Amino acid sequence: MKPLLSRRHSEPPTWADYFMARREQARDTALERYFDVGVPTPETPIGDVPMLAMDMETTGLDEQRHAIVSIGVVPFDLKRIRLAERRYWVVRPPRPLNERSITFHHITHSEIEQAPDLDDVLDELLAAMAGRIVVVHYRHIERTFLNAAVKARRGEGIHFPVIDTMSLEARLHRQSWWARLRRWLGRPPASIRLPDSRTRYGLPPYQAHHALIDALATAELLQAQIAHRYSPETPLREVWS
Amino acid sequence: MQVELLEVRQHMAQFPPFEQLSDDLLDELAGQVEVGYFQAETDIYRHGDAVEYLHYIRSGAIDLYRRNGDLYNRLSEGDIFGQFDLLRDQRVRFPARAIEDTLIYFIPLTAFQHLCEADDNFADFVEVERPRLESTVDQQRKGHEMLVTRVRKLATRAPVMVESDATVQEAAQRMGEHSASSVLVLAAPQTSEDSHAFTHEDGQLRRMVGILTDHDLRNRVLAEGRPASTTVGELIDERPITIQSDESVYEAMLRMLRNNIHHLPVLYRRRPVGVLHLSDIVRYETNSSLYLVDNIFRQPNVEGLAAMKSDVRAAFVRMVNEDDNSQMVSSSLSSIGRAFTRRLLELAEEELGSPPVPYCFMALGSMARNEQSIVTDQDNALVLDDSFDPEQHDAYFLTLAQRVSDGLAACGYSYCKGDVMATNSRWRQPLHVWQQYFRDWIDDPSPERLLHSSIFFDLDSVYGDEAFVESLQDLVAGRASQRPRFLAAMARNALNRTPPLGFFRTFVMEKDGEQNNTINLKRRGTAPLIDLIRVHALACGSRAQNSFDRLEDINKTRLLAGHSGERIRYALEFIAMVRIRHQVIDIQEEREPDNNIEPENVSDNERHNLKDAFQVLSNAQKFLKFRYPMPSQKR
């Protein structure tokens, strides 16, 4: 007798599968350690998840042509953002800087000239990320740049789940029926930039474009989003990607 | 690399008790903060929760509740809470609830303890667990002078800056655009390790190499015939003298005097944040009451004195903004009032010649108590030598009195509505007449009779032969305590004015001339408190005139039970301070200051404290009634 529901041949790979597989394959010890710590299950309530807010300043938007110049991270959970454990690195891009593409803000040429290569801080960065879900505002920068940079230096890339505060805002302001109604009425869509999103939750304005301050601002924003839209019991699968 | 958290630190640096911390302590603190977000209408703490943090409200607002659910306090941006719980048993006494979306900075216990050890002001601010009213008053008492005022408070304008290869003409243009009398000169650091380098706004590394002043443009460019194309770098002295933003104003002044310079660049670490000019310090000091009093005695005429009216207001505003307490503010104002009076008498004597007989100019009321406010009228009298002969001498003293009275009016001290002034012949009498006045008032009192003369029971000499007034003070102190009928009559008058509290401890408003609901803080607050303190002081035989001094004398006896003397002191200080602060707001908003406050303009915290203070007054009045009963009339 045939089963009523045929089991699919293979489940779609999960983050846990990916971490498991990479742990086995990794040749770089730092990456092996990172994947060895593992990843929370999709059912874990968000209130129990250790997180790491991350922001990068880069010389441009294309990870093939541009490079990372600074990284700020702050560990946090829904209750507390722990500034004492913040980390901040300025790193020297491998390619000579194209003057016109330089968009970094508070970082000077000489700071960069003296800065280490990303390779020298990567072990520390991976240690800070281990066991934590990375939280960013606009996921396409941090994930792609880090993957490219790690691949270039260690010969193997890195993927990791992120919670993207911008796409959480977009769900409400770009995809909801209310947003569609606004569009239909010809109203401009609400801005989902970091400062504008923060204002909606009563968060104070911060001076933007410093990787560490932006990471702090992102962590605060996620705390606010969960408080208003979700709950500490919300399973991780509803907010990560 | 641990970067400074400027966003966090700069916010905290604006609010007490952090505003007084050094930059280093602030940076260290900012790096240890933990952050948490609370949606409006959610609980932050419940009663009895463990507390491991001092809390700083970065944005939003919270309410603290008593156990019975009554509101205890409402706090907003820049306020702290939890310090008392931390110091006691580390359990929450007052549950906290966010009433707006709120961002809180949690300062861990270890960081809190470190601040208490490293900074006495901080420890004073948080350490003392006392009833609310008392701790509020004590915070106000912390006077700040030039020694503790930090330079960053005076240097508020961003500096104008040019590169060292700019021409002097460009520099002069920049100075003109910003109406600045100096520019700071920047250059690239000599080496990448340059210890004077800082990151400029444009992201470039720079160091400050000098300062160019309008004085240099005159003396080193024009006078020496240099062309406008001369670069700034050719003119400046390398290694300029600078000061750190958290050093004291006093230190800044010393550095200017020692180096004979008028401009002092102010740095936060290596970054220039302003330029302090000597005139900033002079302006700051000009508003001090000491300088004012000195200046009063230099005025050659009444016009000169009258022109100082605005200086007095400026000094008053500054004292209050620097958190001087009401006693400091009102005794300074009294000294200023006395100085005006004395100078007017000196000027009058210069013109009229020496007095024909010795005299003493006597202050009555608030000036005698050293409790003047910015809104005040004149109450004064002349005590003359017993050799005074009205036929021969009175013309001189009448003119003298008129000079002083008109002069005081020109300086902002309005004429006394009850005509208690030395221009009134009744209040311009030889000592023996004055002694008879006081004997009559004390020995044969009635409330009606004393109503008009109770002002004379605050008396002090201002100028002339002080012994006359001292003998009157002795007479009052020796005699009044022996006369229960006198004390009872004074007590009855002291009950005429009641605090503005309704049956349910709500405020009872009165209508002012413009039909606004207000509370007159003098009539319903300070005046009745001062009246009842005076009665007790007279009963104790105190010779003190100042209400706080009188309270000290009273507290040496057992007249008042328990802590009620202390409570009265705090209540008087608090109401006086609210009144003073509202007068400052009036002045700053260019209204004529008065004694009225509109309760809706009072912060919640202040409102609670005011009710507490009025309740103290109400209780003290009940005791007064009981302590000095009207004896049965014997006619």
Side-chain angles (χ1 to χ4, degrees), chain B residues 535-548:
Chain B
V535 178
H536 292 315
L538 289 168
C540 298
S542 163
R543 288 178 85 260
Q545 306 296 320
N546 177 268
S547 297
F548 295 97

Side-chain angles (χ1 to χ4, degrees), chain B residues 62-327:
Chain B
I62 68 150
D63 276 347
L64 298 178
Y65 296 94
R66 291 180 192 282
R67 261 185 119 164
N68 63 11
D70 285 352
L71 182 64
Y72 170 72
N73 208 346
R74 177 163 291 177
L75 303 174
S76 57
E77 182 171 345
D79 286 331
I80 58 171
F81 65 97
Q83 64 270 37
F84 299 138
D85 300 331
L86 274 189
L87 291 163
R88 204 181 42 244
D89 55 1
Q90 300 182 15
R91 295 274 156 198
V92 169
R93 187 155 65 130
F94 301 114
R97 188 173 171 83
I99 54 170
E100 292 172 10
D101 292 338
T102 298
L103 194 65
I104 290 182
Y105 289 169
F106 293 79
I107 297 162
L109 181 60
T110 49
F112 172 77
Q113 286 164 338
H114 176 62
L115 285 176
C116 287
E117 280 159 27
D119 190 282
D120 288 343
N121 281 327
F122 184 89
D124 285 348
F125 191 95
V126 299
E127 249 169 23
V128 196
E129 163 68 302
R130 267 180 298 183
R132 173 159 37 108
L133 181 57
E134 299 180 21
S135 58
T136 308
V137 167
D138 282 351
Q139 281 161 25
Q140 289 167 351
R141 188 179 307 142
K142 275 187 275 161
H144 304 226
E145 281 309 324
M146 233 163 120
L147 270 175
V148 288
T149 306
R150 297 180 192 276
V151 167
R152 63 186 176 218
K153 189 161 182 172
L154 295 198
T156 46
R157 263 179 72 184
V160 182
M161 301 194 268
V162 298
E163 295 291 322
S164 61
D165 57 5
T167 65
V168 290
Q169 185 172 20
E170 286 161 358
Q173 281 165 354
R174 292 292 304 281
M175 288 160 74
E177 284 161 22
H178 293 87
S179 357
S181 60
S182 65
V183 282
L184 299 184
V185 183
L186 305 182
Q190 287 154 332
T191 64
S192 54
E193 308 278 290
D194 191 326
S195 61
H196 294 281
F198 69 95
T199 309
H200 197 31
E201 281 167 352
D202 57 12
Q204 303 299 307
L205 215 52
R206 280 288 171 266
R207 58 175 285 160
M208 195 194 64
V209 293
I211 178 168
L212 187 78
T213 67
D214 47 8
H215 187 261
D216 297 327
L217 290 176
R218 186 177 69 226
N219 291 1
R220 307 199 55 190
V221 180
L222 286 175
E224 291 179 12
R226 291 184 202 238
S229 57
T230 311
T231 64
V232 169
E234 293 173 49
L235 288 175
I236 53 165
D237 296 322
E238 294 262 340
R239 302 226 143 269
I241 294 150
T242 61
I243 193 156
Q244 289 293 316
S245 62
D246 64 349
E247 288 186 79
S248 72
V249 172
Y250 183 71
E251 182 57 39
M253 190 185 68
L254 282 185
R255 211 162 290 181
M256 287 193 214
L257 293 176
R258 229 179 271 140
N259 297 289
N260 192 27
I261 52 174
H262 290 173
H263 294 84
L264 194 57
V266 179
L267 307 181
Y268 168 66
R269 295 174 190 251
R270 298 169 302 280
R271 179 195 310 276
V273 292
V275 178
L276 195 66
H277 190 263
L278 189 58
S279 64
D280 295 325
I281 296 182
V282 172
R283 197 176 313 124
Y284 175 79
E285 268 310 291
T286 307
N287 290 339
S288 86
S289 41
L290 261 182
Y291 177 90
L292 252 181
V293 166
D294 190 47
N295 211 7
I296 287 170
F297 284 110
R298 291 171 203 271
Q299 295 303 318
N301 50 35
V302 177
E303 290 70 37
L305 290 171
M308 294 184 63
K309 225 161 94 175
S310 60
D311 294 350
V312 175
R313 290 202 165 175
F316 171 70
V317 169
R318 177 188 151 184
M319 283 186 271
V320 177
N321 286 342
E322 286 183 358
D323 290 346
D324 285 0
N325 67 355
S326 87
Q327 291 177 66

Side-chain angles (χ1 to χ4, degrees), chain A residues 79-81 83-84 86-88 107-108 110-111 114 201-204 206-207 210 212-213 220 223-224 227-228, chain B residues 1-3 5 7-8 30-31 33-37 39 53 58-59 101 103 105-106 192 199 203-205:
Chain A
K79 288 206 165 63
R80 296 284 190 278
I81 301 159
L83 285 179
R86 72 193 184 278
R87 298 302 307 266
Y88 175 72
I107 303 161
T108 63
S110 63
E111 261 184 278
Q114 295 164 43
Y201 295 92
L203 286 164
Y206 283 161
Q207 189 188 341
H210 183 290
L212 188 62
I213 295 297
E220 290 173 0
Q223 285 188 338
H228 282 258
Chain B
M1 174 177 173
Q2 291 297 325
V3 72
L5 286 153
E7 286 287 339
V8 178
V33 153
E34 298 179 14
V35 186
Y37 179 90
Q39 193 185 356
Y53 300 93
R58 173 59 176 81
S59 62
D101 292 338
L103 194 65
Y105 289 169
F106 293 79
S192 54
T199 309
Q204 303 299 307
L205 215 52

Side-chain angles (χ1 to χ4, degrees), chain A residues 139-202:
Chain A
R139 62 176 177 258
H140 299 294
I141 294 287
E142 281 74 12
R143 208 149 50 176
T144 46
F145 269 84
L146 203 54
N147 183 39
V150 171
K151 196 173 242 167
R153 286 166 183 80
R154 305 280 163 107
E156 45 190 323
I158 178 173
H159 286 290
F160 49 91
V162 299
I163 297 174
D164 180 359
T165 50
M166 184 189 256
S167 62
L168 294 186
E169 277 307 271
R171 285 186 199 173
L172 182 82
H173 294 287
R174 296 284 154 86
Q175 292 150 23
S176 67
W177 67 268
W178 173 245
R180 283 197 292 272
L181 181 69
R182 274 178 69 96
R183 257 199 308 277
W184 183 71
L185 290 170
R187 298 280 180 77
S191 165
I192 53 176
R193 291 172 57 242
L194 182 55
D196 299 309
S197 302
R198 285 171 57 84
T199 306
R200 283 192 287 274
Y201 295 92

